[in-house]
Amino acid sequence: MARGQLRVYLGAAPGVGKTFTMLEEAHRRQGRGTDVVVGFVETHGRKSTAQMIGDLEVVPRKTMTYRGSTFEEMDVDAILARRPQVALVDELAHTNVPGSRNAKRWQDIQQLLDAGITVLSTVNIQHLESLNDVVEQITGITQRETVPDEFARQADQVELVDMTPEALRRRMAHGNVYKPEKIDAALGNYFRVGNLTALRELALLWLADKVDEQLDRYRADHQIGTTWEARERVVVALTGGPEGETLIRRAARIAARTKGADLMVVHVARADGLAGGDPTLLAKQRVLIESLGGTYHQVTGDDIPTALIDFARGVNATQLVLGVSRRSRLAQILSAGVGVTTTNLSGPIDVHLVTHEHVGQGRLRPSAGASPLSRRRQIAGFALALLGLPLLTLALVALKDELSLASDVLLVLAGVVAVALVGGMLPAVAAAVVGFLLLNYFFTEPSHSLNIADRENVLALLVFLVLAVAVAAVVDLAARRTREAAIASADASTLATVAGSVLRGARPLAALLERLRETFGLASVTLLERAPGAADGPARQEDPTAWRIAATVGDPPCRAPGQGDTTVPVDDDLALVLCGRALPAADRRIVEAFAAQAALALRQERLAQEAAKARPLEEADKMRTALLAAVSHDLRTPLASAMAAVASLRSHDVAFSHEDQDELLATAAESHERLYRLIENLLDMSRLQAGALGVTATAVGLEEAVPTALDEIGDAGRQVTVTIPDDLPTVTADPGLLQRILVNVIRNALRFSPPDKPPIITASEHDDQVELRIIDHGPGIPDDLRDRVFQPFQRLGDRDNGTGVGLGLALSRGLAEAMGGTLLPETTPGGGLTMALTMPAAEAGVTATEARATVLAERAIVERINRRNRPTEGSE
């Protein structure tokens, strides 16, 4: 069965017309004879949207009950049974009511698509998962309902329903989006012009990325290799030389001329991996390109111009930036070079050749002229050439009558090869010259003379000399390549080890420096940072006061660059100082790469420290925001009810009966009680977080504490079934705090319990611990959300209409832990939530009677304090 297609109407904000546009498309398809049904369309009370549904067939919604409230959700099973060609499903990011077929509506849509049904849907940009934090920064509002970007990007079509901020605000003011009572608040908060402009730009950029993906897929499917200038993409080619920073900054200025242009850097490494750019410079240039918002890439290839062009075409680049060659003029005459060759191959890609200060200075390669063999082997090669070849010649002279000139030449050539294998290029060349002279003197006519009578002998000796030199060159090149491969392998192994230690370590900078110290057998490795206000000049290198230690391993640390055996400057303000031994030049190259990585690790640690400092401030800000939201609603509601009741009683315009007066007084008393309870919870939570909550532990009997808590709850508490054994030991707790815990947890259980299944309270003893279980048979809490209910100002479920600021369970857990106990949620068998309160059992010497007396005494004290603190009649 073919999979259905998904078409998504994307908007920058509510009210731009996504649902209306979707319905228009549905009518167009129905007019063409397509079987279209409305799976779920949310009109939000907008008459024009409701009228637009018209004669479209609407699949009845499924009615669901959750926490005592009734909700309507899309009936996926009914749509699957109906099997239309096209289904309209509004609000892609919607969260379904618990108990639905799927948790999210996009999962419902996935099932419809798998069944071969084409789906038209809508979503706002703020509901995309990857942009959730960005939207929160712009609007200050957290969007809890999100849809994964991967699902949205898999849509076959995404159509942007766009509207200018001014036009949307006019629609809002005319009452076409929200109800009149919400218009002023919406225009002054979420629907400000700046917010709408930013959201609109986010929607355009996200859609542009989606279009880029479709374009890349189309080009790949149709094997299109030419460049399509749909967007400016600037590619910089780096050799690993010092001119790289100049090229990157020049390319960044080119890209900045076009808004939205992409900036990329590419370095072509040779396929054999034996030669390449300076790793230190490449590391610095990578940091630079990333700081400018670009990306770094590395490809492998033997032919650099071809590899560059292949990469540029692969990313659909429009401009390629190269540096002018650093080779000499003679070298450029002999070979066109990378720049000219790349320009000839570029086709429609514009190539910029950028001049720099290193033009014509040559391309330095480390150890380019040094022999790959040790001095001892070179001496052995010369000795073999000067002694071995004469001895071989004496042996051949003795066999002169039995061997021809050709045999003599081959045997001497073998000797030259042996010298090349032992001593390398120079001894082999010397052996070739010595062999040429010996063959000419002893084996060509006239003998014992350097003259040659036969022309064929001249040719044979010249061929011998050329072959001998060529073989020596090949042997020397193979030795060089072997040495380079060994060095590259050692460097790669060291880098891999360092990278692994950095990734596995909690402190990457310390791990990097420690691995560097161990690898090269150093006494200490220190990363020095220039002290603020330190003066420039040569004296600074020896002045410890001009530097401060950013990180160090080993002992003793170097306190100035001049104190170390090897110093690797990272930039003007950082230097890596090695103590213990001076490193050779070959090792210094890899240490320079490590120094660049150490600078990156230091910057990451500094950023992590700043983030850690900001995290408590962020949490405090979230707490203040949540507290303000709670005060604005949950605290204001009971206060408004009390004020309305009192104002009614004081009114002289209406004569209330005694029953009405009693009801108003009861309303005022209940509202004041709720307000008092909320404020008390807020104050206790503040004391808990500040560590200032006093705990007076004593022996408490649960058979007294639970009924007392139920009495405080009132009539609802009488519905609870309590089963506490008579021989249950007392617990060590603060009586007042324990009662607060019980009241909060039992109220929470009553709020979510079905009317026919009231909560149950049981108690038992286990290993010097007394466990009290408050069991309800409500909807329960998913495992992945259980920790959230214990966070302050959190109430599970976006549609929870219950009262309270979400402090009850958070406060209860904090109080339990303050008294040495725990409060943990568990799943009730058959459905529901069980709160297990565990408290330490009191010492055996404390009896239940003593505990009961303590509870009564504590209760009397609390009552006296409360009466003393209550305002007297007529007080303000």
Side-chain angles (χ1 to χ4, degrees):
M1 179 185 298
R3 186 178 184 273
Q5 292 189 342
L6 175 62
R7 181 168 185 170
V8 176
Y9 293 90
L10 174 67
V16 296
K18 303 180 301 300
T19 303
F20 196 90
T21 305
M22 179 180 67
L23 289 169
E24 286 182 334
E25 176 64 19
H27 281 289
R28 281 194 293 270
R29 297 197 181 199
Q30 186 184 51
R32 296 195 298 265
T34 304
D35 183 15
V36 182
V37 301
V38 175
F40 191 100
V41 168
E42 183 60 69
T43 63
H44 295 288
R46 300 166 191 163
K47 294 181 179 179
S48 58
T49 305
Q51 293 173 356
M52 192 63 190
I53 296 177
D55 59 349
L56 293 174
E57 178 184 349
V58 179
V59 177
R61 300 181 182 181
K62 180 169 57 175
T63 301
M64 302 186 66
T65 301
Y66 178 66
R67 293 182 176 176
S69 301
T70 302
F71 303 94
E72 290 184 344
E73 292 288 0
M74 181 175 66
D75 195 337
V76 181
D77 295 325
I79 298 175
L80 292 174
R82 170 67 174 73
R83 298 193 64 81
Q85 290 178 285
V86 178
L88 275 61
V89 182
D90 210 355
E91 296 186 348
L92 179 62
H94 171 74
T95 300
N96 295 328
V97 173
S100 301
R101 183 187 182 106
N102 296 298
K104 292 285 189 176
R105 183 162 291 169
W106 66 266
Q107 296 171 327
D108 295 338
I109 293 175
Q110 183 73 59
Q111 290 187 336
L112 297 180
L113 296 174
D114 293 340
I117 301 174
T118 295
V119 177
L120 307 183
S121 188
T122 64
V123 71
N124 285 325
I125 192 66
Q126 65 264 28
H127 294 297
L128 295 177
E129 182 65 43
S130 65
L131 300 176
N132 188 260
D133 57 338
V134 180
V135 173
E136 183 179 1
Q137 292 175 1
I138 295 172
T139 64
I141 299 175
T142 303
Q143 300 292 337
R144 290 188 173 90
E145 293 187 327
T146 59
V147 61
D149 286 63
E150 182 181 0
F151 180 81
R153 290 187 183 278
Q154 289 176 355
D156 300 278
Q157 299 179 61
V158 178
E159 180 177 336
L160 180 65
V161 182
D162 193 24
M163 181 177 290
T164 64
E166 293 77 12
L168 180 56
R169 285 172 59 86
R170 283 196 299 270
R171 286 198 66 197
M172 179 83 61
H174 293 158
N176 296 328
V177 180
Y178 286 160
K179 295 180 180 179
E181 60 269 19
K182 296 183 178 180
I183 293 176
D184 292 338
L187 291 175
N189 293 281
Y190 191 89
F191 287 83
R192 296 196 299 267
V193 173
N195 289 358
L196 296 176
T197 303
L199 293 175
R200 190 184 185 200
E201 183 176 12
L202 281 179
L204 292 170
L205 291 175
W206 188 91
L207 187 60
D209 290 338
K210 165 73 175 174
V211 173
D212 278 344
E213 292 177 3
Q214 291 178 327
L215 179 60
D216 291 341
R217 192 181 308 117
Y218 178 85
R219 284 164 49 86
D221 293 342
H222 292 76
Q223 299 180 350
I224 299 175
T226 58
T227 299
W228 288 3
E229 297 187 21
R231 178 194 290 191
E232 288 290 344
R233 287 183 173 86
V234 182
V235 174
V236 187
L238 297 182
T239 64
E243 76 283 357
E245 293 188 7
T246 302
L247 302 184
I248 291 173
R249 290 190 172 91
R250 183 73 177 94
R253 291 194 293 271
I254 295 174
R257 296 172 185 169
T258 305
K259 187 174 180 59
D262 293 334
L263 179 61
M264 289 170 279
V265 158
V266 59
H267 170 66
V268 180
R270 287 187 50 176
D272 54 17
L274 300 178
D278 189 331
T280 304
L281 293 176
L282 286 174
K284 292 181 180 179
Q285 291 159 12
R286 179 169 187 168
V287 174
L288 176 61
I289 187 63
E290 291 177 352
S291 67
L292 294 174
T295 57
Y296 180 89
H297 306 269
Q298 182 164 315
V299 297
T300 302
D302 288 327
D303 188 353
I304 294 179
T306 303
L308 285 176
I309 293 300
D310 289 343
F311 175 83
R313 289 173 178 168
V315 299
N316 201 26
T318 57
Q319 302 188 59
L320 186 59
V321 178
L322 305 174
V324 175
S325 177
R326 284 182 283 143
R327 300 180 306 151
S328 64
R329 293 193 176 185
L330 177 61
Q332 295 182 41
I333 293 174
L334 297 177
S335 175
V338 173
V340 176
T341 307
T342 303
T343 303
N344 294 335
L345 297 175
S346 62
I349 303 176
D350 296 335
V351 178
H352 302 265
L353 289 178
V354 179
T355 59
H356 49 86
E357 60 183 0
H358 303 283
V359 174
Q361 295 183 5
R363 185 170 182 177
L364 299 178
R365 292 184 180 272
S367 304
S371 174
L373 301 179
S374 64
R375 183 174 299 275
R376 180 179 298 178
R377 289 187 59 178
Q378 293 183 50
I379 294 175
F382 278 113
L384 183 61
L386 298 177
L387 299 177
L389 286 181
L391 293 177
L392 176 61
T393 302
L394 291 177
L396 294 176
V397 169
L399 300 173
K400 184 176 181 180
D401 295 336
E402 300 180 8
L403 299 175
S404 64
L405 177 61
S407 300
D408 296 333
V409 170
L410 290 175
L411 291 173
V412 175
L413 180 60
V416 174
V417 171
V419 172
L421 292 174
V422 173
M425 182 69 177
L426 293 179
V429 172
V433 174
V434 171
F436 175 85
L437 295 175
L438 290 174
L439 287 172
N440 183 16
Y441 189 82
F442 288 102
F443 301 103
T444 59
E445 295 297 336
S447 298
H448 303 95
S449 172
L450 296 178
N451 297 324
I452 304 175
D454 192 347
R455 292 182 179 179
E456 292 184 2
N457 292 340
V458 174
L459 179 61
L461 293 179
L462 290 177
V463 170
F464 161 79
L465 183 60
V466 172
L467 288 177
V469 174
V471 169
V474 170
V475 172
D476 184 77
L477 180 62
R480 289 179 183 273
R481 289 290 185 251
T482 302
R483 182 191 181 201
E484 290 177 1
I487 294 174
S489 177
D491 291 349
S493 177
T494 303
L495 288 171
T497 303
V498 170
S501 64
V502 170
L503 291 175
R504 290 188 296 270
R507 299 178 59 196
L509 179 57
L512 178 69
L513 299 184
E514 178 61 28
R515 184 59 60 185
L516 188 61
R517 186 185 69 83
E518 292 178 356
T519 300
F520 294 100
L522 301 169
S524 66
V525 178
T526 306
L527 183 64
L528 294 178
E529 186 176 21
R530 182 181 178 183
D536 293 324
R540 188 185 64 170
Q541 297 298 106
E542 302 291 341
D543 183 9
T545 62
W547 299 85
R548 61 184 181 186
I549 297 177
T552 184
V553 295
D555 190 65
C558 297
R559 302 188 179 277
Q563 297 179 1
D565 297 297
T566 302
T567 300
V568 179
V570 181
D571 53 32
D572 293 339
D573 296 326
L574 288 175
L576 188 66
V577 184
L578 314 180
C579 295
R581 66 184 182 92
L583 296 182
D587 290 340
R588 184 184 176 92
R589 293 187 67 235
I590 192 171
V591 172
E592 289 175 349
F594 289 167
Q597 297 302 319
L600 288 176
L602 177 62
R603 186 177 66 176
Q604 291 174 353
E605 285 195 0
R606 295 279 171 81
L607 291 175
Q609 292 172 0
E610 293 297 326
K613 293 179 181 178
R615 193 171 295 114
L617 299 177
E618 181 183 0
E619 293 297 330
D621 184 66
K622 288 182 179 179
M623 184 71 71
R624 285 193 296 269
T625 302
L627 178 59
L628 289 175
V631 170
S632 66
H633 179 268
D634 294 294
L635 298 183
R636 186 171 57 186
T637 300
L639 182 61
S641 298
M643 291 175 63
V646 173
S648 299
L649 289 172
R650 296 184 61 187
S651 175
H652 300 290
D653 299 333
V654 181
F656 292 101
S657 63
H658 290 294
E659 291 79 7
D660 292 337
Q661 291 179 2
D662 290 342
E663 185 176 352
L664 289 173
L665 287 172
T667 300
E670 181 182 354
S671 298
H672 279 104
E673 182 182 355
R674 285 177 53 198
L675 186 62
Y676 176 78
R677 189 167 59 248
L678 291 173
I679 294 175
E680 197 172 33
N681 282 342
L682 287 170
L683 293 176
D684 283 346
M685 179 57 70
S686 300
R687 294 190 189 101
L688 266 178
Q689 293 181 340
L693 183 67
V695 177
T696 304
T698 184
V700 182
L702 292 181
E703 68 276 8
E704 284 290 337
V706 172
T708 303
L710 294 176
D711 290 340
E712 182 177 337
I713 293 174
D715 294 338
R718 298 187 180 93
Q719 305 173 11
V720 180
T721 303
V722 181
T723 305
I724 297 180
D726 295 335
D727 57 348
L728 190 72
T730 57
V731 298
T732 301
D734 185 306
L737 300 184
L738 179 60
Q739 183 173 338
R740 297 289 303 282
I741 297 173
L742 294 175
V743 169
N744 286 332
V745 177
I746 295 173
R747 275 188 175 139
N748 189 73
L750 285 167
R751 184 181 301 121
F752 298 108
S753 293
D756 57 338
K757 292 183 178 180
I760 301 173
I761 299 178
T762 63
S764 58
E765 178 190 7
H766 305 283
D767 298 330
D768 297 330
Q769 299 282 331
V770 176
E771 183 180 76
L772 189 72
R773 302 172 69 82
I774 297 93
I775 305 167
D776 70 60
H777 294 86
I781 300 176
D783 293 343
D784 57 338
L785 297 179
R786 287 183 176 175
D787 287 339
R788 279 186 54 190
V789 299
F790 290 103
Q791 296 176 6
F793 310 108
Q794 294 290 329
R795 286 186 306 208
L796 186 62
D798 295 335
R799 293 188 175 93
D800 183 11
N801 296 322
T803 59
V805 296
L807 275 178
L809 292 180
L811 178 60
S812 298
R813 171 174 275 187
L815 295 177
E817 293 176 350
M819 294 186 294
T822 60
L823 182 63
L824 300 174
E826 300 176 0
T827 300
T828 302
L833 183 69
T834 296
M835 285 293 181
L837 174 64
T838 302
M839 299 297 297
E843 297 181 0
V846 180
T847 64
T849 302
E850 293 172 342
R852 188 177 300 111
T854 303
V855 171
L856 295 176
E858 292 284 351
R859 191 189 309 169
I861 294 173
V862 171
E863 286 296 329
R864 284 198 297 272
I865 293 175
N866 289 338
R867 284 197 298 270
R868 187 184 307 160
N869 292 336
R870 290 195 186 106
T872 59
E873 184 177 356
S875 64
E876 295 183 357

